[in-house]
Amino acid sequence: MGSSSRRCLSFTTWRDRYLRYSFSRAGLKSTTTDLGDGTIMHCWAPKAHNHSTTSLLLIHGIGANATWQWNHFISPLTRHFNVYVPDLLFFGDSHTTRPERSEWFQAKCVMALLEALGVRQTSVVGLSYGGFVAYAVAAMFPERVEKVVVCCAGVCLEDRDMEDEGMFWVKSVDEVVSVLLPQTPQKVRELLQLTFANPIKLLPTCFLKDFIHVMCTEYRQERTELIQALHKDRKLSNLPKITKPMQIIWGEQDQVFPLELAHRLKRHVGEKAQLVVITNAGHAINVEKPNELCKNLKSFLIDPSKQENHSNGLKVDPQKQKNFSALWICMFLDYFMQQL
């Protein structure tokens, strides 16, 4: 079978196209912005910006591009916000020829993108690696940020934590890269075991290989450098304290960034931060507990006088979805493709 036939039969590619269509139906459009100096940023932006509505920036993690990680939340959040969902550098259609790899550089690019799109004020939510970027946005651009939410992101990580007995599941950044950027089906299985409190059991190798081929081969070296930059010479004493209202959301059984880091971040930020711990959830809280995550986001970000009385979160019941055999593949890939 030729390579073109494999692409036609690729479920990962099909699912990616479906998610793009879903974003479009929710009122977003695909935009690409040249920031100059070799940097291109892709973003899902409102087809029509409502000037009477506040803006919300959603920043994804390392596991996949923006559509895979935020799909469950777009429809309920676009009812209340002008939602902007960028692909970070080296994901989707965003890339740069510049050598910078820190979350601070990602934050500068994201805010330059929003400025180019005419957005001056926004709240920001970040998942995992996206939480590092969200924190950097709030620290560097306080005048442009209203509220910030950090989900399962070890912002208070120190480089010495890697050597701490019992803190992490690995002892080197190279081990982290081998799992977070999987190149074999076995590494994907390890990734699922690591990121879910209740990982899915059915893992057909053909789907795993397809996912790796479509999602894990492009920009692998650059993504490796992003992970390495997170750990290099990291000290809590160098982390600025943000002054904006902040919500910290964490899975109680997170193995990627243990819960201790959530408490450390709360202590570091102080009274401006509130901590929400979601039980029976691991690192991938946007997949395992989408209803609870959406409910907490809305309660924190939306003015109480404007909140809906009839709905607190997503109208999604993951358990009921599993009962429909026709959707089992989609559910499997939703479990698999999301997060870090």
Side-chain angles (χ1 to χ4, degrees), residues 41-44 57-60 66 84-88 94 110 113:
M41 291 289 287
H42 174 265
C43 183
W44 290 92
L57 173 65
L58 302 178
I59 307 180
H60 66 84
Y84 293 82
V85 194
D87 282 320
L88 293 175
S94 296
V110 167
L113 167 68

Side-chain angles (χ1 to χ4, degrees), residues 300-317:
F300 177 71
L301 294 170
I302 302 174
D303 186 312
S305 64
K306 298 180 180 179
Q307 290 195 37
E308 299 169 329
N309 294 324
H310 61 278
S311 177
N312 288 320
L314 288 165
K315 295 181 179 178
V316 174
D317 185 342

Side-chain angles (χ1 to χ4, degrees), residues 194-231:
L194 178 69
T195 55
F196 289 87
N198 300 290
I200 193 169
K201 303 300 182 183
L202 181 61
L203 299 170
T205 298
C206 60
F207 284 113
L208 303 188
K209 288 182 176 179
D210 179 53
F211 167 73
I212 292 168
H213 175 71
V214 176
M215 286 286 187
C216 299
T217 55
E218 192 173 24
Y219 296 124
R220 187 174 188 273
Q221 178 57 40
E222 290 84 355
R223 294 181 191 181
T224 297
E225 292 165 3
L226 295 179
I227 295 173
Q228 291 170 337
L230 283 183
H231 294 82

Side-chain angles (χ1 to χ4, degrees), residues 174-292:
D174 288 341
E175 287 185 70
V176 174
V177 169
S178 72
V179 177
L180 300 193
L181 302 177
Q183 297 299 297
T184 66
Q186 180 55 36
K187 287 298 181 182
V188 175
R189 293 183 176 96
E190 290 181 28
L191 177 62
L192 285 172
Q193 290 293 327
L194 178 69
T195 55
F196 289 87
N198 300 290
I200 193 169
K201 303 300 182 183
L202 181 61
L203 299 170
T205 298
C206 60
F207 284 113
L208 303 188
K209 288 182 176 179
D210 179 53
F211 167 73
I212 292 168
H213 175 71
V214 176
M215 286 286 187
C216 299
T217 55
E218 192 173 24
Y219 296 124
R220 187 174 188 273
Q221 178 57 40
E222 290 84 355
R223 294 181 191 181
T224 297
E225 292 165 3
L226 295 179
I227 295 173
Q228 291 170 337
L230 283 183
H231 294 82
K232 186 177 181 181
D233 300 325
R234 197 173 191 93
K235 292 180 173 58
L236 184 58
S237 59
N238 295 333
L239 185 68
K241 294 184 179 181
I242 65 174
T243 58
K244 296 296 180 177
M246 180 179 182
Q247 185 180 58
I248 305 166
I249 306 179
W250 225 271
E252 185 179 35
Q253 300 176 46
D254 193 336
Q255 297 182 71
V256 177
F257 293 119
L259 186 57
E260 164 56 28
L261 294 176
H263 293 289
R264 187 187 294 179
L265 181 58
K266 172 68 173 69
R267 292 192 297 269
H268 181 73
V269 175
E271 62 182 15
K272 286 288 186 179
Q274 59 176 250
L275 173 61
V276 176
V277 178
I278 298 180
T279 59
N280 195 31
H283 187 70
I285 56 174
N286 57 319
V287 185
E288 288 193 298
K289 297 287 183 174
N291 290 346
E292 289 188 39

Side-chain angles (χ1 to χ4, degrees), residues 29-36 39-45 57-60 66 83-89 93-95 105-120 122 137 141 144:
K29 62 182 179 181
S30 175
T31 67
T32 302
T33 303
D34 188 343
L35 300 181
T39 302
I40 304 292
M41 291 289 287
H42 174 265
C43 183
W44 290 92
L57 173 65
L58 302 178
I59 307 180
H60 66 84
V83 176
Y84 293 82
V85 194
D87 282 320
L88 293 175
L89 293 172
D93 295 323
S94 296
H95 53 87
F105 180 64
Q106 292 270 20
K108 288 179 183 178
C109 292
V110 167
M111 294 309 279
L113 167 68
L114 289 191
E115 186 169 5
L117 295 175
V119 180
R120 292 296 304 166
T122 186
V137 165
F141 304 94
R144 296 178 60 186

